[in-house]
Amino acid sequence: MEKQPQRIVSDSGFEIEVVRKDEGYFHVRVSRANVIELILSAKQRCGKNILQLISVVDRIEDDIFQLTWILEDTADSSVFIVSADYPRENCSVPTFGDIWPTAVIFERELHEMYGIEFPGNPRQYEDFLLEGWKELPPMRRDFDTLEYSIRTYGERRKRIHTDPRKFIAETTGEWDTPVPMKDEDR
Amino acid sequence: MYCNKLPEIPDDRKKIWEKVDNMARANSLWVTAFGTGCGAIELRPLHTSRFDMERFGIAMRPTPRQADVLIISGYLAVKTLKRVIRVYEQIQDPKYIIALGSCTMNGGMYYDSYNTLNILDRYIPVDVYVNGCMPRPEAIIDGFSLLMKKIKEGKAEGWKNYIENLEYYRENQKKVISNWDLPDYNW
Amino acid sequence: MTHLLLSITVTTIAALAWGLLLGGISRMVTARIHGRIGPRLTQNYIDLWKLFRKKSSIHHGTMFWLAPMFRIAGGAGVLLLVPLIVGNTVIVNMSFSGDLLLVVYFMFFGCLGMALGAGDSGHPYAVIAVSRGLAQMSSYELSFSAVILVLAAGLKTLSIEEIVMAQQDGILSWNLFRYPFATVAALITFLPMQMAYPFSIVLAPQEIPIGPPTEYSSRLLSFMFSGRALFGVAKLVLFVNLFFGGASGWVSLLIKTFLLYMFPIFVSSVFPRFRTEQSIRFLWFVPTSLAAIDLLRIMI
């Protein structure tokens, strides 16, 4: 069994863009039709037996979600990373829950935080961190957290000045500086 | 086996015992070991020989049934608020709350977060605030001594406030906890 | 009759006060070993008063309420059945009416009531602690029975009064010097009785947070605390009577119980905790074999 996944990349019949190649580190970008094939062959032929993480970047300017799967070989800790782009609207991504059970939990979290659908994941509609969330998924960049925070939890109590002396003098009237500081000393 | 009764304020207290009781309460504060946020890590040094909070009679209890004080240590997420309500209502009267850090006062650096409460005392009654991000152990000891002073003067009555205004607090709690499934009062 | 009641009341209250004071001293000593200042001497009294005056509003069934009373009754029972001072005719309580076996039964009684109450509270940690505690108790009861066998075979009696009287001819007639191995075995079983550290699998602060009293609060907890203090003093007096020649006066009683009380504190300050099966195996084999050595010496 070869350790580096170059062979897979060169054998594959589809286009693969190599992002970065290093000792024990291989990052590729593929089109979303070939994600399953590439990841499965990396698992079977190169011994990348752990799914470490599924991460998402919300690139709202390009109107895409960039998903990244990080696979690891437990024998020599070498990493194989696969990235693919998916459209933001009605985003639907294949699930890896039947191959790696951890993927079920990662995908649940992504569904809750970004609203990404993983058809075939048995537990994707369960609550993960947010209990009973009814708004837009909070990690999407079109969700306005400040507006939501003020609407739900109330506006924060603000301080009027950033100068503590003035603030304490106004609220308590007890601040008495023997030598007033000049503005250029501050 | 559930109790559906709401709590009542005891009114048969005799003033002369009240003073002795308050002295005893102030000198034996037992804290629930429940860290709600990042400030829990600042409580650990209080056990060590450098700060030693046992010399004030402060001890950690592993169960809310035996505790007097609940420390809200740092930011409070909505999910944790639900657990805090359960723990707080299981503590037997009289009970006190100390809130640590600027996050509990106005949200601190999490003021625009989607799940952190901005103003804590809308949801549970706070007796003493300790500011800082995070407060040093000295500041926490200072907060404890302030609480002791308040108890000795008979002014630490957040728990009575909670019983009197239970509807107000419940309304606010239900507003932020969207899947409310707690009983009327968690005995 | 009035005299007996008065004497019982005085003994119990004095033992409670002494037990709480010993508890306060033990907390101070532990703190000094850690390099801390530690709580004040009266901390245990303050804690007890505060707990007694706290509101209690939890109900878990009848046994839950009765368990602290069982605990106090067990402690007081042991205390009243044991002669406090040799030759004292003013405070005799009921020391003439019971022998060593009855005392051992009473020691079991308190723990058993505690176990039932903790089981009634329904908290999983309490139930785990109860099952551990009963397993450990049956194992140290075995070694303690072996020690009792040594005393009974050597002195031809089970009455505590007579055991004490047999030790009155100078310091070398103490059972400590007559049966040294049995005394060491008894001191080892004293550690789990006091829930001291290598055998503290019942309270186990870091594993099952506090064990049996998890659900106990306010007034019931204060009863439980006082029961524990009473029990502690009763066991101390029993051990002083069995192995250290009894007490010839009040001062000697206080000094001997104080020194004996320091033993589990020092041991528990420096030892980590056994696992349950390690603890049981140790208590089965080591103290029992030590007692068996003395038994063989008596037989031969």
Side-chain angles (χ1 to χ4, degrees), chain C residues 102-140:
Chain C
L102 189 66
V103 166
V104 172
Y105 167 74
F106 258 101
M107 282 162 73
F108 215 82
F109 176 77
C111 300
L112 212 59
M114 182 64 231
L116 287 173
D120 210 2
S121 76
H123 198 281
Y125 284 146
V127 177
I128 293 174
V130 162
S131 66
R132 285 175 171 201
L134 290 180
Q136 196 190 42
M137 193 157 63
S138 54
S139 63
Y140 71 68

Side-chain angles (χ1 to χ4, degrees), chain C residues 81-92:
Chain C
L81 287 173
V82 172
L84 289 176
I85 289 168
V86 186
N88 190 329
T89 49
V90 184
I91 293 191
V92 283

Side-chain angles (χ1 to χ4, degrees), chain C residues 86-281:
Chain C
V86 186
N88 190 329
T89 49
V90 184
I91 293 191
V92 283
N93 298 332
M94 294 176 287
S95 54
F96 51 86
S97 56
D99 61 3
L100 204 43
L101 292 182
L102 189 66
V103 166
V104 172
Y105 167 74
F106 258 101
M107 282 162 73
F108 215 82
F109 176 77
C111 300
L112 212 59
M114 182 64 231
L116 287 173
D120 210 2
S121 76
H123 198 281
Y125 284 146
V127 177
I128 293 174
V130 162
S131 66
R132 285 175 171 201
L134 290 180
Q136 196 190 42
M137 193 157 63
S138 54
S139 63
Y140 71 68
E141 286 283 312
L142 178 74
S143 346
F144 197 62
S145 324
V147 173
I148 291 173
L149 268 183
V150 171
L151 295 182
L155 302 171
K156 305 278 181 289
T157 175
L158 271 173
S159 153
I160 304 173
E161 198 107 325
E162 287 171 26
I163 292 177
V164 178
M165 288 318 285
Q167 301 178 57
Q168 296 307 309
D169 315 326
I171 198 167
L172 283 178
S173 68
W174 290 7
N175 285 340
L176 169 66
F177 298 105
R178 253 189 237 168
Y179 312 115
F181 293 102
T183 311
V184 172
L187 285 178
I188 291 175
T189 59
F190 189 53
L191 295 173
M193 281 181 199
Q194 290 287 59
M195 297 182 220
Y197 236 86
F199 307 102
S200 67
I201 57 173
V202 179
L203 292 184
Q206 290 84 15
E207 292 171 52
I208 41 168
I210 199 163
T214 309
E215 278 290 305
Y216 280 92
S217 69
S218 19
R219 197 160 292 182
L220 291 177
L221 191 66
S222 80
F223 284 146
M224 201 161 276
F225 266 30
S226 31
R228 200 172 155 192
L230 259 183
F231 220 175
V233 172
K235 278 181 280 195
L236 288 171
V237 175
L238 177 69
F239 269 69
V240 166
N241 276 331
L242 289 187
F243 302 104
F244 301 99
S248 53
W250 292 109
V251 180
S252 129
L253 182 70
L254 293 189
I255 290 174
K256 278 181 180 171
T257 48
F258 175 79
L259 290 179
L260 190 56
Y261 192 79
M262 284 298 121
F263 164 66
I265 292 168
F266 287 139
V267 173
S268 67
S269 299
V270 291
F271 273 100
R273 182 167 49 238
F274 277 144
R275 289 204 308 270
T276 314
E277 75 274 15
Q278 286 172 328
S279 160
I280 289 172
R281 199 170 297 146

Side-chain angles (χ1 to χ4, degrees), chain A residues 148-159:
Chain A
Y148 177 79
S149 175
I150 290 174
R151 172 155 52 88
T152 319
Y153 309 121
E155 193 149 10
R156 71 191 298 206
R157 298 161 181 156
K158 276 181 200 156
R159 213 186 242 189

Side-chain angles (χ1 to χ4, degrees), chain C residues 1-10 88-93:
Chain C
M1 192 63 202
T2 326
H3 177 248
L4 182 64
L5 278 179
L6 200 67
S7 133
I8 287 176
T9 322
V10 168
N88 190 329
T89 49
V90 184
I91 293 191
V92 283
N93 298 332

Side-chain angles (χ1 to χ4, degrees), chain A residues 114-127:
Chain A
Y114 291 92
I116 302 173
E117 297 276 339
F118 290 89
N121 185 335
R123 299 175 63 189
Q124 69 166 319
Y125 296 114
E126 282 179 31
D127 283 342

Side-chain angles (χ1 to χ4, degrees), chain A residues 100-164:
Chain A
W100 290 288
T102 49
V104 174
I105 295 169
F106 291 145
E107 289 163 4
R108 249 169 83 197
E109 186 184 11
L110 294 185
H111 177 261
E112 188 173 81
M113 290 297 179
Y114 291 92
I116 302 173
E117 297 276 339
F118 290 89
N121 185 335
R123 299 175 63 189
Q124 69 166 319
Y125 296 114
E126 282 179 31
D127 283 342
F128 184 66
L129 284 174
L130 312 169
E131 294 178 337
W133 185 262
K134 295 189 186 70
E135 307 270 328
L136 202 65
M139 296 295 271
R140 287 173 82 107
R141 278 170 65 198
D142 43 0
F143 174 74
D144 188 350
T145 51
L146 181 59
E147 186 267 335
Y148 177 79
S149 175
I150 290 174
R151 172 155 52 88
T152 319
Y153 309 121
E155 193 149 10
R156 71 191 298 206
R157 298 161 181 156
K158 276 181 200 156
R159 213 186 242 189
I160 303 147
H161 307 288
T162 49
D163 184 5

